[in-house]
Amino acid sequence: MKVLAFDISSDYAHFRQPYSTTSSLTYAIPPRTAALGIVGAIVGIDSGGFGQSKHIAELEKANTKIGVRLMRKVEKTRFSINYSYTKADASTKNVQHIQVPVEMVKDPVYRFYVTADVKLLEKLEDMTINSECYYTPYLGISEFIAQVKYVGTYSAEVETADKIYTAVQMAKRTNILFSNGQKIFMETHAASMNSERRVTKYVEVAYEEEGNPLKLRSVDPDSLVVKIFTETGEEAVMLW
């Protein structure tokens, strides 16, 4: 198995939590659906237009699995964004405006670990090595244009491990080994959606706020944990 790693960063990121109302809150790390969207943007898989997510099915058909690692401590900030009611009649100048407080992740850096069918993985490798993107990738909001930096392509083996460097999908039989000093958070993420952007699967995801690896008591047998062999040693990552 081959696993490709690349870093993605921006000044800010906003991955909106769907249950937030008056104030738009953000996830600390991109959900799987957002990560798939970024991969699709890089290699040029069309989503189908506004309100569509046809790229999800195409990427899943190519057996795409992704792990996300925090490369910088999570820092959040909040500011207001001006919105206009776009369905108003602009000719009458009666356009309504509203200011919405929006929570952002400040200076985020994520490392994506991706495995997929050979054809897709080779295309992704070629694009990231050459710093090319078919569509412009961004971190949640189109104004937060992202920079993509190729890290490497590594050999990987499916193995069990008790220390995971990526965020961890909390399946039924996965348990965290807690210790002093850790700042562990859990979020409910969309893991998959249909072509009309309706979520078909949610998962619980755990991460350590400062990007430290998580130690596990046990790993669900249905979870995919792989050990990759980098220039600096071995790392275990969870892909889904």
Side-chain angles (χ1 to χ4, degrees):
M1 175 188 291
K2 294 288 185 181
V3 173
L4 182 147
F6 66 87
D7 288 347
I8 187 162
S9 60
S10 186
D11 294 333
Y12 297 97
H14 176 78
F15 304 103
R16 187 176 183 275
Q17 297 178 2
Y19 50 80
S20 60
T21 54
T22 305
S23 297
S24 297
L25 303 179
T26 182
Y27 292 119
I29 59 176
R32 179 177 181 270
T33 48
L36 287 173
I38 290 169
V39 171
I42 293 172
V43 299
I45 299 176
D46 190 358
S47 67
F50 181 77
Q52 299 292 311
S53 54
K54 295 180 180 179
H55 61 288
I56 299 287
E58 188 168 343
L59 288 165
E60 290 180 342
K61 186 178 179 180
N63 297 312
T64 306
K65 298 186 184 299
I66 301 179
V68 179
R69 177 180 178 181
L70 278 171
M71 301 303 293
R72 183 175 292 173
K73 179 182 177 180
V74 174
E75 294 185 21
K76 293 183 180 180
T77 188
R78 186 174 297 186
F79 51 81
S80 295
I81 292 181
N82 293 319
Y83 288 99
S84 298
Y85 182 60
T86 57
K87 293 183 180 180
D89 184 3
S91 63
T92 64
K93 298 184 179 180
N94 188 28
V95 179
Q96 298 177 354
H97 300 276
I98 187 173
Q99 283 192 336
V100 178
V102 179
E103 185 182 56
M104 308 291 179
V105 182
K106 187 175 183 295
D107 297 322
V109 181
Y110 306 106
R111 179 161 295 174
F112 284 14
Y113 297 90
V114 184
T115 187
D117 290 348
V118 173
K119 184 178 179 180
L120 176 62
L121 198 64
E122 287 181 347
K123 185 173 183 180
L124 181 62
E125 181 181 41
D126 181 65
M127 297 290 280
T128 52
I129 286 176
N130 293 293
S131 300
E132 297 176 343
C133 298
Y134 193 93
Y135 299 112
T136 302
Y138 53 86
L139 293 184
I141 296 179
S142 59
E143 288 77 9
F144 300 155
I145 296 173
Q147 295 78 47
V148 176
K149 181 181 178 182
Y150 174 77
V151 175
T153 303
Y154 307 107
S155 297
E157 296 178 357
V158 177
E159 289 191 18
T160 57
D162 59 2
K163 187 165 71 172
I164 308 296
Y165 284 81
T166 56
V168 171
Q169 180 186 352
M170 297 301 297
K172 289 183 179 179
R173 294 169 62 181
T174 297
N175 294 289
I176 296 174
L177 178 62
F178 295 97
S179 60
N180 292 334
Q182 288 183 310
K183 299 177 182 179
I184 299 174
F185 292 82
M186 292 186 64
E187 298 177 341
T188 301
H189 284 189
S192 187
M193 58 176 58
N194 62 22
S195 62
E196 297 178 348
R197 295 183 62 82
R198 294 180 180 175
V199 177
T200 56
K201 182 181 179 181
Y202 287 97
V203 295
E204 296 290 326
V205 176
Y207 65 93
E208 206 279 333
E209 185 185 45
E210 297 187 356
N212 297 317
L214 288 175
K215 295 182 178 180
L216 303 181
R217 291 184 184 274
S218 60
V219 179
D220 192 281
D222 291 333
S223 297
L224 176 60
V225 175
V226 300
K227 187 173 289 185
I228 62 175
F229 305 95
T230 70
E231 297 82 359
T232 58
E234 299 178 356
E235 298 176 0
V237 299
M238 184 177 287
L239 311 175
W240 69 90

